[in-house]
Amino acid sequence: MKEAPLLSPSPERAENSGLSLSHMSFLGNGPYSVNVKPGECIGLTGTSGIGKTQLLRAIADVIVHGGNCSLDGEPCSSFSPPVWRKMVAMIPAESFWWHDTVGAHFEDTSQRPEFLNLIEKLGFSSDIVGWQISRLSTGERQRLSLIRTLIQRPRVLLLDEPTSALDIKMVMIVEEILAAICDSLQISCLWVSHDIEQLFRVAGKVYRVEKTGFTEESDA
Amino acid sequence: MNVISLSSFDLSLAAFLLLLLAATSLRIGLGLEKRIIISGIRMTVQLLLIGMVLKVLFTSENFFLVGFMSLCMLLVAGYEVRARQKRKLRGSTGYLISTGSMLVSSFTVTFLALTVMVGVDPWYTPQYAIPMLGMLLGNTMNGVSLASDRLTTEMYNQRGMVEQRLLLGQSWQEASGEIRRDCMRTGMIPIINSMAAAGVVSLPGMMTGQILGGSSPLDAVKYQILIMFLIAAGTGFGVMTAIWLISRRLFDERQRLVLDCLTNIK
């Protein structure tokens, strides 16, 4: 991999940093072009079935797509798929779990200090690792799935309705935590939601996803 | 000792039992009578035909005839595997994969047995080659069809889970590891079970046949042991090959789960 210049980054470099989509298309939708700088959050909304989730899946490279998607100027195709998906991490609206206990999904990460930190901030106690997955509520799964991805230290977060199953108090907490983490770790974030007020709370810019591209929404 | 030859009358008496079963099925509304009779007729015709084919084959000892017969058996087995699957791979790929994995396992194992273990001369002597290949293909076919049916069904049903694991940065091998291992187990368990039960619960058909045909029980047992080993090895490697090839098809070069290569269930 190329190394970032240590002194005075060229203007081109600065323009390229973060996640850029150029003319992304999939399943007859698009082209979508946008640049999400490190630490920036962009909100995406749109009618149901327009393809917001599919757009995130295309960025995570789990569906076939056209156009270009790059991180700090390096195209998706130059990384092996697992490496790309760890850096550009999508958290789907419905999370899936394949082991019996919570702990088994965090085998190599549950000892890290940030795990305990996140667990506590998101309202769990440290005995969570012993819990049965089958007894978790939808909201608990949603919060744990957030932790599961954050602990892998992604560079980009693709959030698909990340607070849909949470009560209003928890929604606020999650918004705050995500904002703090994205800011301190300079994570680029795409946040999909139907709740336009939420998007204006968490994101600098909000786009409406249409079949043929993005249109910018203004704060009413 | 000579085998007591069965007359057509003996066979008709046995067939009468099947008719009785069909009549009972009709009487109690089981709805199986048609299938009982059709499969009974099919079995009789198929076996009589194969009996005549084998008679010709055994007298000729022609390498090409034996080869042609083996090829036919393989192609039918490949077709059967595909027919038994709920979700098949589209196009000819599925057929090629099942046929290929059976070819690799059954044919090599049979060839090894004929040349090295039995040491019959010439190695393709039809009295040995055809029955052994038949037994190997039959069992491998069962294993491969059970395992590949389970693989495509599970991958479809658990696509959310597999994709979640891909999204977390797992490779396709990791993301599908449990499913693939489960399917391999499904394919191999029947033959492992029948090895464990052989002689205690069941007297294997081949051995019984040899004993009825006048061989000494110890010779029959030795052949049965050989065949069991061959079948277990052939089935095991056949199942592994099939699972590997099918899962390779279910992920593309960017390690995406692609399920549109599977047919839909109506």
Side-chain angles (χ1 to χ4, degrees):
Chain A
M1 285 297 106
K2 285 169 236 161
E3 274 181 52
L6 291 173
L7 292 166
S8 58
S10 62
E12 197 186 347
R13 180 87 208 163
E15 201 173 287
N16 272 342
S17 65
L19 174 80
S20 344
L21 318 186
S22 78
H23 303 285
M24 285 274 285
S25 59
F26 52 89
L27 307 167
N29 289 14
Y32 300 100
S33 301
V34 70
N35 190 3
V36 197
K37 291 188 199 64
E40 189 186 9
C41 179
I42 288 185
L44 297 177
T45 188
T47 48
S48 295
I50 200 78
K52 302 184 292 294
T53 301
Q54 298 306 321
L55 174 65
L56 297 190
R57 292 176 77 215
I59 301 171
D61 201 20
V62 292
I63 58 168
V64 178
H65 55 83
N68 245 329
C69 187
S70 57
L71 181 61
D72 294 345
E74 301 280 350
C76 165
S77 54
S78 70
F79 297 96
S80 89
V83 170
W84 175 262
R85 289 171 197 146
K86 267 193 184 142
M87 295 191 306
V88 181
M90 172 176 176
I91 303 182
E94 188 191 351
S95 67
F96 287 86
W97 305 81
W98 54 95
H99 295 302
D100 290 351
T101 62
V102 173
H105 295 85
F106 293 92
E107 218 147 48
D108 29 338
T109 48
S110 61
Q111 299 310 315
R112 292 194 196 159
E114 67 241 61
F115 175 75
L116 299 171
N117 188 18
L118 282 169
I119 285 288
E120 194 192 332
K121 276 189 180 154
L122 285 167
F124 295 106
S125 60
S126 56
D127 66 351
I128 183 78
V129 287
W131 288 20
Q132 290 288 319
I133 291 292
S134 54
R135 289 174 57 188
L136 297 176
S137 73
T138 325
E140 286 170 327
R141 281 180 206 214
Q142 194 160 36
R143 282 179 282 152
L144 281 171
S145 124
L146 212 57
I147 299 175
R148 183 171 59 176
T149 298
L150 285 174
I151 202 87
Q152 298 204 41
R153 299 169 184 157
R155 307 272 315 281
V156 176
L157 269 180
L158 309 170
L159 304 165
D160 193 3
E161 303 269 4
T163 58
S164 58
L166 307 181
D167 61 58
I168 185 68
K169 206 176 118 214
M170 203 34 96
V171 171
M172 292 304 171
I173 294 176
V174 167
E175 284 178 13
E176 252 168 60
I177 292 174
L178 279 172
I181 291 177
C182 289
D183 185 57
S184 67
L185 299 176
Q186 289 294 292
I187 297 175
S188 312
C189 183
L190 276 177
W191 187 312
V192 166
S193 177
H194 282 291
D195 181 353
I196 200 127
E197 280 167 29
Q198 175 181 53
L199 290 182
F200 279 111
R201 278 198 304 273
V202 297
K205 273 184 224 153
V206 177
Y207 292 113
R208 177 165 290 277
V209 180
E210 313 271 9
K211 281 269 178 222
T212 51
F214 293 129
T215 52
E216 191 162 350
E217 286 277 310
S218 55
D219 199 347
Chain B
M1 188 181 117
N2 264 326
V3 196
I4 303 166
S5 208
L6 294 173
S7 69
S8 316
F9 178 68
D10 302 329
L11 295 181
S12 330
L13 273 182
F16 179 72
L17 287 177
L18 201 70
L19 283 180
L20 208 63
L21 180 68
T24 318
S25 152
L26 186 67
R27 183 88 179 78
I28 64 173
L30 210 55
L32 279 177
E33 54 283 352
K34 220 169 148 186
R35 278 170 68 181
I36 291 175
I37 292 177
I38 288 179
S39 336
I41 295 173
R42 242 190 94 167
M43 183 267 291
T44 314
V45 173
Q46 282 167 204
L47 288 183
L48 282 176
L49 279 176
I50 202 67
M52 285 188 266
V53 171
L54 288 181
K55 205 175 154 189
V56 176
L57 207 61
F58 286 3
T59 47
S60 78
E61 288 210 358
N62 182 319
F63 174 75
F64 293 102
L65 275 182
V66 176
F68 179 71
M69 176 79 192
S70 319
L71 191 68
C72 291
M73 288 160 70
L74 176 70
L75 294 182
V76 174
Y79 173 81
E80 278 289 320
V81 169
R82 201 175 139 76
R84 288 188 205 175
Q85 285 185 46
K86 255 195 302 185
R87 292 184 190 278
K88 314 171 207 296
L89 283 172
R90 280 184 206 282
S92 56
T93 330
Y95 188 74
L96 286 178
I97 287 177
S98 52
T99 320
S101 50
M102 284 187 291
L103 177 76
V104 170
S105 58
S106 311
F107 278 61
T108 41
V109 169
T110 312
F111 179 70
L112 187 78
L114 289 170
T115 50
V116 180
M117 297 153 202
V118 182
V120 60
D121 183 52
W123 64 268
Y124 53 85
T125 306
Q127 279 92 331
Y128 288 85
I130 296 296
M132 283 175 86
L133 184 66
M135 272 184 288
L136 268 150
L137 267 181
N139 284 280
T140 317
M141 180 183 86
N142 264 333
V144 168
S145 71
L146 279 175
S148 23
D149 180 44
R150 172 110 195 252
L151 180 65
T152 49
T153 312
E154 287 288 291
M155 284 291 206
Y156 186 86
N157 292 342
Q158 299 199 46
R159 58 192 180 280
M161 189 271 279
V162 174
E163 197 160 282
Q164 169 84 73
R165 298 180 73 157
L166 293 176
L167 284 174
L168 285 166
Q170 297 192 354
S171 65
W172 75 266
Q173 291 98 327
E174 288 172 272
S176 64
E178 272 103 11
I179 296 183
R180 282 185 295 132
R181 278 190 288 276
D182 265 352
C183 296
M184 289 184 198
R185 261 181 236 121
T186 309
M188 288 189 222
I189 290 267
I191 180 63
I192 296 174
N193 284 348
S194 65
M195 276 201 290
V200 190
V201 185
S202 62
L203 282 184
M206 169 195 161
M207 187 179 113
T208 324
Q210 264 188 306
I211 295 175
L212 281 177
S215 298
S216 92
L218 271 182
D219 272 336
V221 162
K222 276 193 237 162
Y223 263 94
Q224 187 63 54
I225 293 174
L226 174 73
I227 282 292
M228 278 290 197
F229 285 148
L230 298 181
I231 288 177
T235 308
F237 291 119
V239 165
M240 286 181 193
T241 317
I243 292 295
W244 177 258
L245 292 173
I246 296 174
S247 19
R248 286 272 0 159
R249 293 290 310 177
L250 294 177
F251 293 90
D252 69 6
E253 76 292 348
R254 290 296 293 171
Q255 304 194 19
R256 307 177 184 116
L257 180 63
V258 278
L259 290 172
D260 38 349
C261 60
L262 295 179
T263 55
N264 299 322
I265 295 180
K266 280 140 228 147

